[in-house]
Amino acid sequence: MLVLALAVVAAVYAFALPTIADYSDVWRVVSALSWANLLALAGATGLNVATFAPPWMVALPGLGFRQALVVTQASTASTYLAPGGAAPGLAVSFAILRAWGFRRRAVALAVALTGLWNQLVIFGFPPLALALLALSGGTSPILESFAAVGLVVVAGLVALFALAFASERAAAQAGKLAASGVSWVLGLVRRPPVSWGGGSFVRFRREAIGLIRRRWHLLTLATLAGHLSVFLVFLVCLRGAGASPAETSGVEAFAAWSIVRLLGSLPITPGGLGIVELGLTSLLVGFGAEQAEAVAATLLYRFLTVVPTLLLGLAAAATWRRQRTVTSTGVD
């Protein structure tokens, strides 16, 4: 899997992107950035980093901003280094929060809710982008396909969530099935079965319902702010690279970004490396951006959303044990 990912990244950077625009032309675009552009890019990047923390602060009462920032930077950095999509990041988040003293069920609930809300937003943006594009008089067959997939996935996630939380009996049955399945897998590697079961899911359901009733709106707003701050970085990169609204409108930029945001969430390469760059550049050119500007905007965007988080994440991974250990009471 790792070899395949490296091959994809190498092919994109060594062959695909230079075919779209020569790197010398891309460098001329980047080197022409004004001080105003650079300040705007720095501000958008800082805002993006700051919005990582609030969803976790909402989902896990008692978690402070600095601790949430450490967790999110470390977990997100892991997704850029290891294959498997969001799974490595979730595992890192769980391990750090448990080591800080938060209760297992409270951490599991925070992981589940932040993960679910993120997926709802990622798959919900393409249908929203299609609606906005239609209102502005534009069309995009590829966006229509991704919007259809997004609607199906969002509907499926909501249905599964509602079914699992429909009643305590349903939660108990789901817990028993999950425990049996995980225990069977552990048995294959000669590990003891899990100690949780249907009763654990019932208690988890009660805590989840209580937290969602009180904080669903805050979690939704915080999650939307986090994703839209990423789009802001991309839009500032696009405008800084010289792509005017006449070439690529804000709605078209959002459409291209929402498609690639969905593609980048799939566990093809770590952090969607290579996939995002090729997909976003191609879509921008398709929407009317000049080729060198499209490549420059994409590479700037990827640099500003990957490198700062990677550096901060590595620093967080090296220092997280120095954070104050807390005692969590679970949900408030």
Side-chain angles (χ1 to χ4, degrees):
M1 184 67 179
L2 182 58
V3 174
L4 176 61
L6 291 174
V8 169
V9 174
V12 168
Y13 276 88
F15 300 104
L17 291 181
T19 300
I20 298 173
D22 190 273
Y23 280 142
S24 61
D25 295 329
V26 174
W27 175 246
R28 277 195 290 271
V29 172
V30 174
S31 60
L33 290 170
S34 66
W35 279 106
N37 293 143
L38 295 174
L39 288 174
L41 291 171
T45 302
L47 177 63
N48 176 39
V49 172
T51 57
F52 274 73
W56 281 89
M57 296 168 65
V58 173
L60 187 58
L63 184 67
F65 177 81
R66 185 173 65 177
Q67 290 179 316
L69 200 59
V70 168
V71 170
T72 54
Q73 295 303 300
S75 62
T76 305
S78 70
T79 66
Y80 295 136
L81 299 173
L90 295 178
V92 169
S93 299
F94 189 90
I96 292 177
L97 291 169
R98 284 289 294 140
W100 280 344
F102 286 95
R103 291 192 304 115
R104 183 181 299 274
R105 281 205 309 277
V107 175
L109 177 57
V111 169
L113 291 183
T114 54
L116 175 61
W117 255 248
N118 277 324
Q119 293 306 306
L120 289 174
V121 169
I122 288 172
F123 283 92
F125 272 168
L128 174 61
L130 179 63
L132 294 174
L133 191 62
L135 289 174
S136 66
T139 59
S140 173
I142 188 171
L143 179 58
E144 292 174 3
S145 300
F146 277 88
V149 171
L151 283 174
V152 170
V153 172
V154 168
L157 288 174
V158 172
L160 288 173
F161 187 78
L163 182 62
F165 286 82
S167 66
E168 290 193 354
R169 180 178 180 182
Q173 291 176 340
K176 289 179 182 178
L177 288 174
S180 298
V182 174
S183 295
W184 179 78
V185 172
L186 291 175
L188 295 178
V189 293
R190 298 182 180 181
R191 298 290 299 276
V194 297
S195 58
W196 48 270
S200 300
F201 266 50
V202 171
R203 291 188 294 272
F204 181 85
R205 171 184 177 273
R206 292 171 184 166
E207 292 189 356
I209 290 175
L211 181 61
I212 291 172
R213 281 176 177 171
R214 290 189 297 276
R215 298 191 165 204
W216 70 269
H217 56 298
L218 296 175
L219 182 57
T220 301
L221 290 173
T223 303
L224 285 172
H227 286 266
L228 291 176
S229 71
V230 182
F231 173 65
L232 177 62
V233 175
F234 169 61
L235 188 60
V236 173
C237 289
L238 185 64
R239 297 294 179 245
S244 67
E247 293 175 326
T248 307
S249 68
V251 172
E252 290 171 333
F254 180 71
W257 176 81
S258 67
I259 291 173
V260 172
R261 188 79 167 163
L262 194 158
L263 280 176
S265 69
L266 301 178
I268 301 173
T269 61
L273 292 174
I275 304 297
V276 170
E277 289 82 348
L278 180 59
L280 191 52
T281 300
S282 301
L283 288 166
L284 287 175
V285 172
F287 277 122
E290 193 271 328
Q291 291 175 312
E293 293 173 352
V295 176
T298 298
L299 295 182
L300 275 173
Y301 163 69
R302 289 297 276 169
F303 179 85
L304 294 176
T305 53
V306 173
V307 174
T309 295
L310 187 59
L311 295 177
L312 290 172
L314 293 174
T319 60
W320 69 268
R321 293 183 183 275
R322 301 176 188 176
Q323 296 290 322
R324 180 175 59 88
T325 301
V326 301
T327 301
S328 172
T329 57
V331 294
D332 57 354

